[in-house]
Coordinates of all heavy atoms in Angstrom, one line a residue:
Chain B
R126 N 36.1 20.6 -14.5 CA 36.7 21.7 -15.2 C 38.2 21.5 -15.5 O 38.7 21.8 -16.6 CB 36.5 23.1 -14.5 CG 35.0 23.5 -14.5 CD 34.8 24.9 -14.0 NE 33.4 25.2 -13.9 CZ 32.6 25.5 -15.0 NH1 33.2 25.7 -16.2 NH2 31.3 25.7 -14.8
Q127 N 38.9 20.9 -14.5 CA 40.3 20.6 -14.7 C 40.4 19.5 -15.9 O 41.3 19.6 -16.7 CB 40.9 20.0 -13.5 CG 41.3 21.0 -12.4 CD 41.6 20.4 -11.1 OE1 41.6 19.1 -11.0 NE2 41.9 21.2 -10.1
L128 N 39.5 18.6 -15.8 CA 39.6 17.5 -16.9 C 39.3 18.0 -18.2 O 39.9 17.7 -19.2 CB 38.6 16.4 -16.5 CG 39.1 15.5 -15.4 CD1 38.0 14.6 -14.9 CD2 40.3 14.6 -15.8
I129 N 38.3 19.0 -18.3 CA 38.0 19.6 -19.6 C 39.3 20.3 -20.1 O 39.6 20.2 -21.3 CB 36.9 20.6 -19.4 CG1 35.6 19.9 -19.2 CG2 36.8 21.6 -20.6 CD1 34.6 20.0 -20.3
K130 N 40.0 21.0 -19.2 CA 41.2 21.6 -19.6 C 42.2 20.6 -20.1 O 42.9 20.8 -21.1 CB 41.7 22.4 -18.4 CG 42.5 23.7 -18.8 CD 42.8 24.5 -17.6 CE 41.6 25.4 -17.1 NZ 41.9 26.1 -15.8
K131 N 42.3 19.5 -19.4 CA 43.3 18.5 -19.6 C 43.1 17.9 -21.1 O 44.1 17.7 -21.7 CB 43.2 17.4 -18.6 CG 44.3 16.4 -18.6 CD 44.0 15.4 -17.5 CE 44.8 14.1 -17.7 NZ 46.1 14.1 -17.2
V132 N 41.9 17.8 -21.5 CA 41.6 17.3 -22.8 C 41.5 18.4 -23.8 O 41.0 18.2 -24.9 CB 40.4 16.3 -22.9 CG1 40.7 15.0 -22.1 CG2 39.2 17.0 -22.4
R133 N 41.9 19.6 -23.4 CA 41.9 20.8 -24.3 C 40.5 21.1 -24.9 O 40.4 21.3 -26.1 CB 42.9 20.6 -25.5 CG 44.3 20.3 -25.0 CD 45.3 20.4 -26.2 NE 46.6 20.4 -25.7 CZ 47.3 19.2 -25.4 NH1 46.7 18.1 -25.4 NH2 48.5 19.3 -25.0
L134 N 39.6 21.2 -24.0 CA 38.2 21.6 -24.5 C 37.7 22.8 -23.7 O 36.5 22.9 -23.5 CB 37.3 20.4 -24.3 CG 37.4 19.4 -25.4 CD1 36.5 18.1 -25.1 CD2 37.0 19.9 -26.8
E135 N 38.6 23.7 -23.2 CA 38.1 24.8 -22.5 C 37.1 25.6 -23.4 O 37.3 25.7 -24.6 CB 39.2 25.8 -22.2 CG 40.1 25.3 -21.0 CD 41.6 25.5 -21.3 OE1 42.0 24.9 -22.3 OE2 42.2 26.2 -20.6
G136 N 36.1 26.1 -22.8 CA 35.1 26.8 -23.5 C 33.9 26.0 -24.0 O 32.9 26.5 -24.4
K137 N 34.1 24.6 -23.9 CA 33.0 23.7 -24.4 C 32.2 23.2 -23.2 O 31.4 22.2 -23.5 CB 33.7 22.6 -25.2 CG 34.4 23.1 -26.5 CD 33.4 23.6 -27.5 CE 34.1 24.0 -28.8 NZ 33.3 24.8 -29.7
E138 N 32.5 23.7 -22.1 CA 31.8 23.1 -20.9 C 30.3 23.0 -21.0 O 29.7 22.0 -20.6 CB 32.2 24.0 -19.6 CG 33.6 23.9 -19.1 CD 34.5 24.8 -19.8 OE1 34.1 25.4 -20.8 OE2 35.7 24.9 -19.4
E139 N 29.7 24.1 -21.6 CA 28.3 24.1 -21.6 C 27.7 23.6 -22.9 O 26.5 23.7 -23.1 CB 27.8 25.5 -21.4 CG 28.3 26.2 -20.1 CD 28.1 25.4 -18.9 OE1 27.1 24.7 -18.8 OE2 29.0 25.4 -18.0
S140 N 28.5 23.0 -23.8 CA 28.0 22.5 -25.1 C 27.4 21.2 -24.9 O 27.9 20.4 -24.0 CB 29.2 22.4 -26.1 OG 29.8 23.6 -26.3
Y141 N 26.4 20.9 -25.7 CA 25.8 19.6 -25.6 C 26.5 18.7 -26.7 O 27.1 19.2 -27.6 CB 24.3 19.7 -26.0 CG 23.5 20.2 -24.8 CD1 23.2 21.5 -24.6 CD2 23.0 19.2 -23.9 CE1 22.5 22.0 -23.6 CE2 22.2 19.7 -22.8 CZ 22.0 21.0 -22.6 OH 21.3 21.5 -21.6
P142 N 26.5 17.4 -26.4 CA 27.3 16.5 -27.3 C 26.9 16.7 -28.8 O 27.8 16.7 -29.6 CB 26.8 15.1 -26.9 CG 26.5 15.3 -25.4 CD 26.0 16.7 -25.3
G143 N 25.7 17.0 -29.1 CA 25.3 17.2 -30.5 C 26.0 18.5 -31.1 O 26.0 18.6 -32.3
E144 N 26.5 19.3 -30.3 CA 27.1 20.5 -30.8 C 28.6 20.4 -30.9 O 29.3 21.3 -31.3 CB 26.8 21.7 -29.8 CG 25.4 22.0 -29.7 CD 25.1 22.9 -28.5 OE1 25.9 23.1 -27.6 OE2 23.9 23.3 -28.4
L145 N 29.1 19.2 -30.6 CA 30.6 19.0 -30.6 C 31.0 18.0 -31.8 O 30.2 17.2 -32.2 CB 31.1 18.3 -29.3 CG 30.8 19.2 -28.0 CD1 31.2 18.3 -26.8 CD2 31.7 20.4 -28.1
S146 N 32.2 18.2 -32.3 CA 32.7 17.3 -33.3 C 33.0 15.9 -32.7 O 33.0 15.8 -31.5 CB 33.9 17.8 -33.9 OG 35.0 17.6 -33.0
G147 N 33.1 14.9 -33.5 CA 33.4 13.6 -33.1 C 34.6 13.6 -32.1 O 34.6 13.0 -31.1
G148 N 35.7 14.2 -32.6 CA 36.9 14.2 -31.8 C 36.7 14.9 -30.4 O 37.2 14.4 -29.4
Q149 N 35.9 16.0 -30.5 CA 35.6 16.7 -29.2 C 34.8 15.8 -28.3 O 35.1 15.7 -27.1 CB 34.9 18.0 -29.5 CG 35.8 19.0 -30.2 CD 35.1 20.2 -30.7 OE1 33.9 20.2 -31.0 NE2 35.8 21.4 -30.8
Q150 N 33.8 15.1 -28.9 CA 33.0 14.3 -28.0 C 33.8 13.1 -27.4 O 33.6 12.8 -26.3 CB 31.9 13.6 -28.9 CG 30.8 14.6 -29.3 CD 29.6 13.9 -30.0 OE1 29.0 13.0 -29.4 NE2 29.3 14.2 -31.2
Q151 N 34.7 12.6 -28.2 CA 35.5 11.5 -27.7 C 36.4 12.0 -26.6 O 36.6 11.2 -25.6 CB 36.3 10.9 -28.8 CG 36.9 9.5 -28.5 CD 35.8 8.5 -28.2 OE1 35.2 8.6 -27.1 NE2 35.7 7.5 -29.0
R152 N 36.9 13.2 -26.6 CA 37.7 13.7 -25.5 C 36.9 13.9 -24.3 O 37.3 13.7 -23.2 CB 38.4 15.0 -26.0 CG 39.6 14.6 -26.9 CD 40.4 15.8 -27.3 NE 39.7 16.5 -28.4 CZ 39.8 17.8 -28.6 NH1 40.6 18.6 -27.9 NH2 39.2 18.4 -29.6
V153 N 35.6 14.4 -24.5 CA 34.7 14.5 -23.3 C 34.5 13.1 -22.7 O 34.5 13.0 -21.5 CB 33.4 15.1 -23.7 CG1 32.4 15.1 -22.5 CG2 33.6 16.5 -24.2
A154 N 34.4 12.1 -23.6 CA 34.1 10.8 -23.1 C 35.3 10.3 -22.3 O 35.2 9.6 -21.2 CB 33.9 9.8 -24.3
I155 N 36.5 10.6 -22.7 CA 37.7 10.2 -22.0 C 37.7 11.0 -20.6 O 37.9 10.3 -19.6 CB 39.0 10.6 -22.8 CG1 39.1 9.7 -24.0 CG2 40.2 10.4 -21.9 CD1 40.2 10.1 -25.0
A156 N 37.4 12.2 -20.6 CA 37.4 13.0 -19.4 C 36.3 12.4 -18.5 O 36.5 12.4 -17.2 CB 37.1 14.5 -19.7
R157 N 35.2 12.0 -19.0 CA 34.1 11.5 -18.2 C 34.6 10.2 -17.5 O 34.2 10.0 -16.3 CB 32.9 11.2 -19.1 CG 31.7 10.6 -18.4 CD 30.6 10.4 -19.4 NE 30.8 9.3 -20.4 CZ 29.9 8.9 -21.2 NH1 28.7 9.4 -21.2 NH2 30.2 7.9 -22.1
S158 N 35.3 9.4 -18.2 CA 35.8 8.2 -17.5 C 36.9 8.5 -16.4 O 36.9 8.0 -15.4 CB 36.5 7.3 -18.5 OG 35.5 6.4 -19.1
L159 N 37.7 9.5 -16.8 CA 38.8 9.9 -15.8 C 38.2 10.5 -14.6 O 38.8 10.4 -13.5 CB 39.7 10.9 -16.5 CG 40.6 10.3 -17.6 CD1 41.4 11.4 -18.2 CD2 41.5 9.2 -17.1
A160 N 37.0 11.1 -14.7 CA 36.5 11.7 -13.5 C 36.2 10.7 -12.4 O 36.1 11.1 -11.2 CB 35.2 12.4 -13.9
M161 N 36.1 9.4 -12.7 CA 35.9 8.4 -11.7 C 37.2 8.0 -11.1 O 37.2 7.1 -10.2 CB 35.2 7.2 -12.3 CG 33.7 7.4 -12.7 SD 32.7 7.7 -11.3 CE 32.4 6.0 -10.8

Side-chain angles (χ1 to χ4, degrees):
Chain B
R126 289 188 187 280
Q127 278 168 6
L128 285 169
I129 288 250
K130 211 173 281 176
K131 194 180 158 82
V132 294
R133 299 190 172 82
L134 283 173
E135 285 139 299
K137 299 291 182 191
E138 288 85 352
E139 308 306 326
S140 301
Y141 283 90
E144 301 163 349
L145 298 173
S146 75
Q149 291 171 333
Q150 288 189 56
Q151 195 58 293
R152 282 181 284 154
V153 174
I155 292 172
R157 179 175 70 174
S158 275
L159 292 177
M161 290 293 280

